[in-house]
Amino acid sequence: MISVAMTTFNGEKYIEKQIESILNQSLSVDEIIICDDGSTDNTIELIKKYNVQIIQNKKNLGYKLNFKKAMEKCKGDYIFLCDQDDIWKKDKVKEMISIMEKNRNIHVLASSFEYIDENGTLIISKNKKGYSNNNLYNKEVRPDDIVQVKTDEFIYGNYFQGCALAIDKKTKDFFVHHFDERIPHDWIISLYGSLDGGMYFLNKPLFEYRIHSQNSIGVSTLNQDASTHVKRAYQFEERYQKARDALYILDILKINCRDYYLRNKVDYLKIESFMNNHIEYLRNKKLFKLFFQNKYAYYKKLKTIRGRIMDLVYCLK
């Protein structure tokens, strides 16, 4: 059985195209569960035209809890996460399910995507050297290849949007019982899927990811003008959040994946110490201490060379 977990909030502009792209898949899904987070436009009326299950929240939960709720209601052996404003390519379900059924060790599979704008026009994105997945994943993966993504990679960042993921029931059940609101739901799902080597990335674009001013989460920098981006870059909140999130991930592993954490405790305590120091150095603008953190591999995994230079410039401002 194949389920789709979708969340909506004031999505009347694009919701019909998204639902129709799911219903027109070459391999049909068995259920579409939609959790609406208090839409005040015509979203609900539009959804009612289709054979889907609608759950209307009595109060606004926010995107993380709303996705958790939608996933809890899914009965499928495989669950696809879905935004309200993208468009699935016709063979998305067929290709991802085929891979997961042939490789039962894959618990979470992410696909790549193409950007589109508000009008559905393709936005060309060129991968930088050493990157893939429209520069979201800091490893170079050849087109159509499938690669394993290891647990420790997720300490330093999240590389795949929720709408790119297909997960098995085992991972879904673990996620809903070990939910943590500090980190985006898709990041935790990928983390959990990776624990026994079960997180994989298929470098093939299987959906169109829409960029517009109302995106609740995702590739936020594509929605910013240059002055806004520069202004944010030199704020403490922007500079320290990667280290803060790394500490959250380590804590989630410690609490919810105890055996795995204990097997790696020595290394994780070193990373934790580095991250705590990094935050302190940024908060107090300790330029030279930040500079000497470059001798640690943790820093290079946490931030690009440009990001590390910007840390130093931040200290000087």
Side-chain angles (χ1 to χ4, degrees):
M1 183 176 183
I2 303 170
S3 300
V4 175
M6 181 191 292
T7 62
T8 57
F9 178 73
N10 289 344
E12 65 178 6
K13 189 172 182 180
Y14 305 114
I15 189 66
E16 291 177 286
K17 288 185 178 180
Q18 174 63 295
I19 293 176
E20 287 169 8
S21 75
I22 299 170
L23 295 176
N24 290 326
Q25 287 291 297
S26 56
L27 176 63
S28 298
V29 303
D30 298 289
E31 64 175 4
I32 301 175
I33 308 295
I34 300 179
C35 278
D36 184 79
D37 214 16
S39 292
T40 56
D41 63 2
N42 292 318
T43 298
I44 295 298
E45 287 70 25
L46 294 173
I47 291 172
K48 286 180 178 177
K49 293 164 40 180
Y50 302 97
N51 182 24
V52 301
Q53 181 180 340
I54 308 170
I55 301 163
Q56 294 178 258
N57 298 335
K58 293 181 180 179
K59 65 176 183 178
N60 186 277
L61 298 179
Y63 76 91
K64 298 174 191 174
L65 283 169
N66 201 26
F67 260 112
K68 174 178 178 284
K69 185 174 180 178
M71 292 170 67
E72 283 178 313
K73 301 295 182 181
C74 290
K75 302 182 183 71
D77 303 299
Y78 298 100
I79 300 95
F80 285 81
L81 275 62
C82 182
D83 290 345
Q84 66 184 7
D85 45 15
D86 301 331
I87 299 175
W88 287 13
K89 297 196 174 188
K90 191 174 182 63
D91 292 327
K92 172 181 165 73
V93 172
K94 180 180 178 181
E95 294 201 31
M96 296 183 78
I97 291 296
S98 175
I99 290 168
M100 295 182 78
E101 287 188 333
K102 291 176 183 176
N103 301 275
R104 295 290 181 172
N105 60 310
I106 298 180
H107 302 302
V108 180
L109 179 64
S111 79
S112 190
F113 62 96
E114 294 172 336
Y115 287 119
I116 56 174
D117 65 15
E118 294 185 354
N119 301 313
T121 303
L122 187 67
I123 301 172
I124 303 300
S125 175
K126 185 177 180 180
N127 282 316
K128 297 183 291 187
K129 184 176 175 59
Y131 285 76
S132 56
N133 200 32
N134 293 286
N135 299 314
L136 296 183
Y137 187 38
N138 56 2
K139 286 190 174 180
E140 195 166 330
V141 181
R142 291 180 299 182
D144 298 335
D145 272 6
I146 302 173
V147 297
Q148 185 184 55
V149 188
K150 296 182 179 180
T151 301
D152 283 3
E153 294 182 64
F154 290 106
I155 295 174
Y156 302 97
N158 184 29
Y159 315 103
F160 315 104
Q161 315 99 308
C163 51
L165 304 181
I167 71 176
D168 63 12
K169 186 177 185 300
K170 174 185 174 182
T171 305
K172 184 266 287 189
D173 289 343
F174 190 85
F175 167 77
V176 298
H177 288 103
H178 299 86
F179 177 76
D180 193 302
E181 203 172 357
R182 291 176 292 178
I183 289 292
H185 63 288
D186 45 16
W187 194 343
I188 301 179
I189 290 168
S190 295
L191 176 76
Y192 288 162
S194 72
L195 290 172
D196 59 354
M199 170 67 207
Y200 282 76
F201 167 53
L202 167 64
N203 192 23
K204 184 173 184 178
L206 294 179
F207 68 102
E208 296 175 340
Y209 182 82
R210 195 182 301 273
I211 295 295
H212 57 88
S213 59
Q214 302 303 313
N215 289 100
S216 62
I217 190 170
V219 193
S220 59
T221 55
L222 290 179
N223 290 329
Q224 295 176 4
D225 58 40
S227 61
T228 301
H229 182 62
V230 170
K231 184 177 180 180
R232 281 190 59 189
Y234 293 116
Q235 294 176 352
F236 171 71
E237 289 74 16
E238 184 76 11
R239 305 270 22 109
Y240 99 107
Q241 67 178 5
K242 281 182 172 289
R244 176 206 63 194
D245 289 346
L247 291 172
Y248 286 162
I249 291 292
L250 290 171
D251 196 48
I252 289 168
L253 289 172
K254 185 188 302 183
I255 295 168
N256 298 328
C257 316
R258 189 70 178 169
D259 290 344
Y260 184 91
Y261 178 85
L262 290 175
R263 291 198 299 271
N264 297 277
K265 183 177 179 180
V266 173
D267 289 335
Y268 286 171
L269 287 176
K270 292 178 182 177
I271 298 172
E272 183 179 341
S273 175
F274 174 89
M275 298 301 170
N276 280 318
N277 286 336
H278 185 68
I279 292 171
E280 179 197 344
Y281 299 158
L282 285 169
R283 179 178 288 114
N284 296 299
K285 296 193 173 184
K286 295 185 176 181
L287 176 68
F288 291 107
K289 287 188 177 292
L290 269 175
F291 176 78
F292 284 114
Q293 280 200 313
N294 278 282
K295 68 181 181 180
Y296 294 97
Y298 311 133
Y299 200 5
K300 296 173 184 177
K301 293 178 181 179
L302 188 70
K303 297 179 182 179
T304 63
I305 186 169
R306 180 184 177 187
R308 301 197 301 274
I309 291 171
M310 289 177 72
D311 281 346
L312 301 177
V313 175
Y314 162 79
C315 290
L316 295 170
K317 289 181 76 70

